[in-house]
């Protein structure tokens, strides 16, 4: 694992934290005042800052720092998170995301924007912290101590406002004169019992001290009571050390940095010549102490465990033992039992606070390649299992043999494995939806419209690839909805609408697909204008008779844009046709329902996974094709009297008193020049994206099967009318029908056949 | 036998950085993902040193330190906290809770190992 990989993990964490940040801020925006929400928001920024610091991402650190400082004001109740504050914070979250992306992929951020936000954030923080108004932006701004809850009285509450000191002892002394006689310092060090309780060791501190230079040490044991009165957990000794060092007093003090609240410590520089002569002035009766006895130990005697070794090392202080003895294996259980009442209470409190927060999901991070490899292997397993079943059925006359039963079980298991593996790739759409919140904010800002984004079904899961590819078309659709769909606030008021427009983004599962709806309460499609535009662009004839639905769907035509004034946002030459194509590339469908004056609803229907498909295997002109099961409403055997001719080439089939156009798949795909006799074939009633039904004529049905999708585009080229390919149980390659394309072709939009023919050549 | 260190941090990248630094220095490292996990692991095993973040979900570092110090078996285990808070306030609270010492983030591997050596004495 190298640094870059760790960095990559850090960026993944950032993504999660950013999502957490945004959703928390949005909850606050909705009036949520749960302290845990504020905490979660703070923690998100804090974590990003912490990690960024570890990787030396300074821009990220300094922005996160200012952000964090302002959030701390909210956390401590000094700053009310009202709409104005949250507006700044949401923008800051966006900038933080930009900075993260920059750190990850390079590129640059809008520096003016981030500087502006730093100023705004500081203004918010300083509004409440005037005493820190002079603090420079990049420097950490300390929160005022007065506002913090009073800390429990520390044993030695002397210097709370200590100065952070770097740990490198070598940093000091550069400017100290190097003299032949080194400066000497006298250190009087009296540990308190708390020092040991907090895991510090007097001996280790003294050893660290001794490393600074030449040291002599004395121990005063006067305070040591008689054995009967001795409290093993107390500290009784006072140490006096005289050290000659060129590292300076700060270095001497730094040794005791962790301990200084839990001991009495006196450090003073000694006059050059009385370094060793102050003994008689000392109030204690010193006992010279040989430190080397403690540290330059020989190999520990065989059988001594480390804890005992440590006790031995700190034997000089009886108090030290108190904290260590309980670590002895033999006494550990008993001591744990004694402390039992306290421990469960703490654990219960912890559990309670954990329960209050969102339940932590147990997750592991797995490289996507590994999952894909697994999916691929399972795909092969499915094919193999199908082949095996087939050959057993062909060769085994006894249908009840144990091999058959085993195979059936194998089939069931294979399917379950496949479902489970597919579920690994499934992810909630939440991150994409959250990104849309930002899109809405930005467009609302630019257009001067007031917009509220409502999301539903964020936890609906779908294949990761689908999610990844969903963001772009969805962003474009949202832009369109705000830019073209919603009216300006004044106009909305004039129309009697809420000046704030609503964009609703919903995800749900329906019959094995994910349905994503994007609804706005704007003006709806201006059909007159769309129609006119289509006529101008020669998309339709001037006298074409189109239904409302057909007019609405014209917006999916290439190069179609109705905004009279091409705005900064939508007029980038990317139209709804691009959106439609990217959705189709995912095996999805898109449609629109619009109600003038009330808004539009775009509906996306996408497959849950791109890897497998439930299909009906059919024969058409001696070719084997697979028709996606999700498209098929029902299958029927046409009777001669239900077939009606309509015009020169069209035929209709009557189904329960309604008529449905018949489409000969073989003819559409140019497998044959004449449509087959419907009575000799099978009709598959399919529902296409426009909502209309068609009866697809095939020659015969071979069966129903789950097939593993193999991309035709990746392996060959795009073939009109064909969505993908697959390998059947007997090893044959079969093509998967693109039902929508076939239906569209039957409406008179011809497929480009040259490719289709080549594919079968 | 090398000293066994428990590192507690909700950030996997920080955990990894810490682990690489400490294992590189010859220590044995066990990881915990938040305060609660840290508390459970600390109680289940025997550690010579605990290095913990303060700001974590599911029980922050402060509460974990307090809970550990209440347990007699963990009274003397050195606990070092990582903190980005540069103000004395957070440190004094962590110190009062029973922490042995601290490392100010961002830290480098050398610094971490130095401090581990300082409190472990080896």
């Amino acid at each position: 694992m190298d640094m870059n990989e760790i960095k990559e993990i850090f960026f993944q964490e950032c993504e999660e934290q950013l999502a957490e940040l945004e959703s928390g801020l949005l909850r606050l925006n909705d009036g949520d005042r749960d302290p845990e929400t504020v905490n979660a928001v703070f923690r998100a920024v804090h974590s990003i800052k912490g990690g960024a610091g570890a990787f030396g991402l300074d821009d990220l650190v300094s922005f996160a720092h200012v952000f964090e400082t302002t959030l701390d004001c909210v956390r401590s109740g000094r700053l009310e998170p009202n709409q104005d504050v949250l507006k700044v914070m949401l923008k800051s979250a966006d900038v933080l995301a930009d900075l993260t992306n920059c750190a990850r992929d390079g590129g640059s951020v809008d520096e003016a924007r981030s500087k502006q936000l730093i100023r705004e954030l500081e203004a918010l923080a300083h509004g409440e912290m005037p005493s820190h108004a002079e603090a420079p932006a990049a420097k950490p701004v300390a929160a005022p101590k007065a506002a913090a809850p009073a800390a429990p009285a520390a044993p030695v509450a002397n210097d709370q406002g200590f100065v952070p000191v770097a740990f490198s002892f070598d940093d000091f002394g550069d400017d100290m004169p190097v003299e032949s006689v080194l400066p000497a310092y006298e250190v009087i060090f009296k540990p308190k019992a708390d020092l040991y309780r907090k895991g510090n060791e007097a001996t280790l501190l003294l050893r660290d001290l001794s490393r600074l230079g030449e040291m002599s040490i004395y121990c005063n044991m006067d305070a040591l009571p008689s054995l009967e009165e001795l409290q093993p957990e107390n500290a009784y000794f006072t140490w006096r050390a005289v050290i000659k060092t060129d590292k300076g007093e700060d270095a001497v003090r730094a040794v005791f940095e962790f301990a200084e609240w839990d001991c009495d410590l006196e450090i003073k520089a000694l006059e050059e010549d009385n370094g060793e002569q102050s003994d008689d002035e000392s109030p204690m009766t010193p006992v010279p102490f040989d430190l080397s006895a403690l540290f330059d130990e020989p190999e520990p005697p065989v059988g001594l465990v480390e804890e005992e070794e440590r006790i031995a090392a700190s034997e000089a202080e009886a108090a030290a033992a108190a904290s260590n003895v309980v670590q002895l294996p033999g006494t550990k259980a008993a001591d744990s039992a004694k402390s039992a009442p306290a421990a469960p209470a703490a654990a219960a409190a912890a559990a309670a606070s954990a329960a209050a927060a969102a339940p932590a999901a147990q997750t592991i991070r797995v490289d996507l390649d590994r999952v894909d490899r697994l999916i691929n292997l399972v795909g092969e397993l499915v094919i193999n299992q199908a082949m095996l079943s087939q050959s057993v059925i062909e060769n085994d006359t006894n249908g009840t043999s144990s091999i058959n039963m085993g195979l059936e079980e194998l089939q069931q298991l294979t399917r379950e494995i496949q479902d489970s593996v597919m579920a690994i790739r499934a992810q909630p759409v939440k991150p994409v939806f959250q990104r849309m919140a930002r899109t809405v904010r930005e467009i609302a800002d630019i257009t001067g419209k007031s917009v509220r984004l409502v999301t539903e079904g964020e936890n609906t899961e779908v294949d990761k690839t689908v999610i990844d590819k969903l963001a772009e078309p969805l962003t474009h659709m949202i832009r369109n909805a705000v830019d073209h769909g919603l009216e300006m606030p004044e106009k909305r008021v004039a129309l009697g609408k809420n000046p704030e427009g609503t964009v609703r983004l919903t995800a749900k599962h329906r019959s094995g697909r994910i349905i994503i709806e994007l609804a706005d309460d704007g003006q709806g499609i201006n059909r007159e204008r769309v129609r006119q535009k289509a006529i101008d662009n020669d998309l339709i004839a001037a006298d074409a008779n189109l239904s409302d639905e057909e007019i609405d769907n014209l917006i999916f035509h290439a190069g179609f844009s109705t905004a009279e004034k091409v705005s900064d946002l939508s007029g980038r030459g990317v139209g709804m046709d691009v959106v439609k194509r990217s959705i189709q590339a995912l095996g999805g469908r898109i449609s629109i329902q619009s109600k003038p004056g009330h808004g539009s609803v775009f509906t996306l229907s996408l497959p849950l996974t791109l890897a497998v498909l439930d299909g009906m295997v059919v024969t058409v002109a001696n070719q084997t094709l697979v028709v996606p099961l999700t498209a098929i409403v029902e299958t029927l055997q046409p009777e001669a009297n239900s077939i009606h001719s309509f015009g020169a080439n069209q035929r209709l089939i009557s189904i329960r008193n309604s008529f449905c156009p018949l489409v000969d798949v073989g003819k559409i795909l140019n497998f044959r020049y004449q449509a087959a006799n419907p009575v000799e074939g099978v009709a598959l009633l399919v529902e296409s994206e426009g909502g209309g039904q068609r009866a697809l004529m095939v020659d015969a049905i071979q069966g129903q099967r789950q097939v593993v999708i193999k991309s035709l585009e990746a392996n060959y080229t795009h073939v009109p009318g064909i969505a993908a390919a697959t390998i059947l149980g007997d090893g044959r390659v079969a093509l998967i029908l693109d039902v929508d394309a076939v239906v569209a072709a039957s409406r008179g939009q011809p497929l480009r056949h040259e490719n289709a023919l080549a594919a079968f050549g | 036998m090398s000293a066994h260190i428990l590192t507690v941090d909700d950030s996997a990248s920080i955990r990894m950085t810490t682990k690489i630094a400490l294992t590189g220095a010859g220590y044995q490292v066990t990881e915990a993902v938040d305060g609660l996990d840290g508390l459970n692991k600390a109680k289940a095993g025997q550690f010579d040193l605990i290095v913990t973040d303060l700001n974590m979900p599911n029980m922050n570092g402060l509460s974990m330190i307090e809970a550990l110090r209440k347990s007699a078996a963990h009274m003397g285990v050195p606990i070092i906290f990582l903190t980005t808070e540069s103000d004395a306030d957070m440190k004094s609270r962590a110190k009062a809770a029973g922490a042995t010492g601290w490392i100010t983030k961002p830290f480098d591997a050398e610094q971490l190992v130095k401090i581990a050596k300082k409190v472990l004495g080896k």
Side-chain angles (χ1 to χ4, degrees), chain A residues 156 188-192 238 259-266:
Chain A
V156 184
I188 311 261
F189 170 50
K190 181 173 184 343
K192 306 200 168 186
T238 303
E260 76 179 320
W261 300 337
D262 302 320
C263 66
D264 290 328
L265 185 66
E266 235 179 90

Side-chain angles (χ1 to χ4, degrees), chain B residues 37 39 72 92 96 103 113:
Chain B
D37 189 24
L39 184 64
S92 62
I103 299 173
V113 171

Side-chain angles (χ1 to χ4, degrees), chain A residues 251-273:
Chain A
V252 175
R253 198 167 287 281
V255 169
F256 296 94
E257 185 181 20
F258 290 161
E260 76 179 320
W261 300 337
D262 302 320
C263 66
D264 290 328
L265 185 66
E266 235 179 90
I267 298 173
K268 65 177 178 202
L270 292 177
E271 292 304 315
E272 224 172 88
D273 52 348

Side-chain angles (χ1 to χ4, degrees), chain A residues 212-234:
Chain A
L212 292 179
E214 186 191 322
M215 184 172 91
S216 48
I217 188 159
Y218 307 90
C219 181
N220 182 328
M221 302 178 195
D222 290 354
L224 191 68
S226 65
L227 198 56
E228 304 87 71
E229 291 164 31
L230 186 133
Q231 298 284 320
E233 298 192 6
N234 227 328

Side-chain angles (χ1 to χ4, degrees), chain A residues 77-109:
Chain A
R78 279 169 282 149
L79 181 62
E80 163 67 20
N82 57 31
Q83 299 277 329
D84 292 336
V85 170
L86 283 161
K87 208 170 167 188
V88 174
M89 292 198 164
L90 281 163
K91 281 187 196 165
S92 303
D94 294 345
V95 169
L96 197 62
D98 287 347
L99 285 164
T100 311
N101 287 338
C102 273
R104 179 186 213 154
D105 308 322
S108 60
V109 280

